[in-house]
PDB file of all heavy atoms in Angstrom:
ATOM      1  N   GLU A 402       0.681  -4.306  20.523  1.00 81.00           N
ATOM      2  CA  GLU A 402       1.606  -3.929  21.590  1.00 81.00           C
ATOM      3  C   GLU A 402       1.075  -4.301  22.972  1.00 81.00           C
ATOM      4  O   GLU A 402       1.835  -4.341  23.927  1.00 81.00           O
ATOM      5  CB  GLU A 402       1.879  -2.426  21.544  1.00 81.00           C
ATOM      6  CG  GLU A 402       2.732  -2.005  20.377  1.00 81.00           C
ATOM      7  CD  GLU A 402       2.951  -0.504  20.330  1.00 81.00           C
ATOM      8  OE1 GLU A 402       2.049   0.262  20.718  1.00 81.00           O
ATOM      9  OE2 GLU A 402       4.026  -0.097  19.882  1.00 81.00           O
ATOM     10  N   SER A 403      -0.187  -4.585  23.065  1.00 79.00           N
ATOM     11  CA  SER A 403      -0.815  -4.897  24.341  1.00 79.00           C
ATOM     12  C   SER A 403      -0.199  -6.147  24.960  1.00 79.00           C
ATOM     13  O   SER A 403       0.096  -7.115  24.267  1.00 79.00           O
ATOM     14  CB  SER A 403      -2.312  -5.110  24.140  1.00 79.00           C
ATOM     15  OG  SER A 403      -2.902  -5.568  25.333  1.00 79.00           O
ATOM     16  N   LYS A 404      -0.020  -6.125  26.238  1.00 77.00           N
ATOM     17  CA  LYS A 404       0.504  -7.296  26.946  1.00 77.00           C
ATOM     18  C   LYS A 404      -0.614  -8.236  27.366  1.00 77.00           C
ATOM     19  O   LYS A 404      -0.358  -9.355  27.764  1.00 77.00           O
ATOM     20  CB  LYS A 404       1.311  -6.862  28.173  1.00 77.00           C
ATOM     21  CG  LYS A 404       2.556  -6.089  27.809  1.00 77.00           C
ATOM     22  CD  LYS A 404       3.491  -6.936  26.966  1.00 77.00           C
ATOM     23  CE  LYS A 404       4.717  -6.144  26.578  1.00 77.00           C
ATOM     24  NZ  LYS A 404       5.498  -6.765  25.539  1.00 77.00           N
ATOM     25  N   GLU A 405      -1.849  -7.763  27.293  1.00 78.00           N
ATOM     26  CA  GLU A 405      -2.961  -8.642  27.659  1.00 78.00           C
ATOM     27  C   GLU A 405      -3.194  -9.667  26.550  1.00 78.00           C
ATOM     28  O   GLU A 405      -3.021  -9.370  25.370  1.00 78.00           O
ATOM     29  CB  GLU A 405      -4.239  -7.831  27.906  1.00 78.00           C
ATOM     30  CG  GLU A 405      -4.815  -7.199  26.649  1.00 78.00           C
ATOM     31  CD  GLU A 405      -6.032  -6.349  26.894  1.00 78.00           C
ATOM     32  OE1 GLU A 405      -5.901  -5.365  27.637  1.00 78.00           O
ATOM     33  OE2 GLU A 405      -7.092  -6.679  26.350  1.00 78.00           O
ATOM     34  N   PRO A 406      -3.533 -10.883  26.916  1.00 76.00           N
ATOM     35  CA  PRO A 406      -3.780 -11.895  25.892  1.00 76.00           C
ATOM     36  C   PRO A 406      -5.122 -11.649  25.198  1.00 76.00           C
ATOM     37  O   PRO A 406      -6.175 -11.774  25.802  1.00 76.00           O
ATOM     38  CB  PRO A 406      -3.784 -13.206  26.672  1.00 76.00           C
ATOM     39  CG  PRO A 406      -4.076 -12.823  28.082  1.00 76.00           C
ATOM     40  CD  PRO A 406      -3.624 -11.409  28.267  1.00 76.00           C
ATOM     41  N   ILE A 407      -5.048 -11.227  23.950  1.00 76.00           N
ATOM     42  CA  ILE A 407      -6.260 -10.971  23.180  1.00 76.00           C
ATOM     43  C   ILE A 407      -6.165 -11.679  21.841  1.00 76.00           C
ATOM     44  O   ILE A 407      -5.076 -11.891  21.324  1.00 76.00           O
ATOM     45  CB  ILE A 407      -6.502  -9.465  22.938  1.00 76.00           C
ATOM     46  CG1 ILE A 407      -5.309  -8.837  22.201  1.00 76.00           C
ATOM     47  CG2 ILE A 407      -6.810  -8.732  24.218  1.00 76.00           C
ATOM     48  CD1 ILE A 407      -5.561  -7.427  21.718  1.00 76.00           C
ATOM     49  N   LYS A 408      -7.305 -12.060  21.326  1.00 84.00           N
ATOM     50  CA  LYS A 408      -7.360 -12.621  19.988  1.00 84.00           C
ATOM     51  C   LYS A 408      -7.694 -11.467  19.053  1.00 84.00           C
ATOM     52  O   LYS A 408      -8.712 -10.797  19.211  1.00 84.00           O
ATOM     53  CB  LYS A 408      -8.410 -13.713  19.897  1.00 84.00           C
ATOM     54  CG  LYS A 408      -8.429 -14.384  18.551  1.00 84.00           C
ATOM     55  CD  LYS A 408      -9.306 -15.605  18.554  1.00 84.00           C
ATOM     56  CE  LYS A 408      -9.225 -16.265  17.190  1.00 84.00           C
ATOM     57  NZ  LYS A 408      -9.983 -17.511  17.177  1.00 84.00           N
ATOM     58  N   ILE A 409      -6.828 -11.226  18.097  1.00 86.00           N
ATOM     59  CA  ILE A 409      -7.028 -10.110  17.187  1.00 86.00           C
ATOM     60  C   ILE A 409      -7.889 -10.567  16.020  1.00 86.00           C
ATOM     61  O   ILE A 409      -7.499 -11.446  15.254  1.00 86.00           O
ATOM     62  CB  ILE A 409      -5.688  -9.536  16.710  1.00 86.00           C
ATOM     63  CG1 ILE A 409      -4.949  -8.972  17.922  1.00 86.00           C
ATOM     64  CG2 ILE A 409      -5.904  -8.469  15.640  1.00 86.00           C
ATOM     65  CD1 ILE A 409      -3.584  -8.439  17.641  1.00 86.00           C
ATOM     66  N   THR A 410      -9.059  -9.962  15.939  1.00 92.00           N
ATOM     67  CA  THR A 410      -9.994 -10.260  14.860  1.00 92.00           C
ATOM     68  C   THR A 410     -10.447  -8.952  14.243  1.00 92.00           C
ATOM     69  O   THR A 410     -10.299  -7.882  14.852  1.00 92.00           O
ATOM     70  CB  THR A 410     -11.239 -11.006  15.395  1.00 92.00           C
ATOM     71  OG1 THR A 410     -11.932 -10.140  16.319  1.00 92.00           O
ATOM     72  CG2 THR A 410     -10.858 -12.310  16.109  1.00 92.00           C
ATOM     73  N   THR A 411     -11.015  -9.036  13.054  1.00 94.00           N
ATOM     74  CA  THR A 411     -11.547  -7.812  12.448  1.00 94.00           C
ATOM     75  C   THR A 411     -12.710  -7.278  13.282  1.00 94.00           C
ATOM     76  O   THR A 411     -12.894  -6.068  13.363  1.00 94.00           O
ATOM     77  CB  THR A 411     -11.977  -8.037  10.991  1.00 94.00           C
ATOM     78  OG1 THR A 411     -12.862  -9.163  10.929  1.00 94.00           O
ATOM     79  CG2 THR A 411     -10.785  -8.255  10.092  1.00 94.00           C
ATOM     80  N   ALA A 412     -13.458  -8.163  13.920  1.00 94.00           N
ATOM     81  CA  ALA A 412     -14.567  -7.718  14.777  1.00 94.00           C
ATOM     82  C   ALA A 412     -14.038  -6.910  15.963  1.00 94.00           C
ATOM     83  O   ALA A 412     -14.577  -5.848  16.298  1.00 94.00           O
ATOM     84  CB  ALA A 412     -15.381  -8.914  15.263  1.00 94.00           C
TER      85      ALA A 412
END
Side-chain angles (χ1 to χ4, degrees):
E402 288 178 326
S403 173
K404 295 299 179 193
E405 69 183 61
I407 58 170
K408 184 170 183 176
I409 296 177
T410 63
T411 52

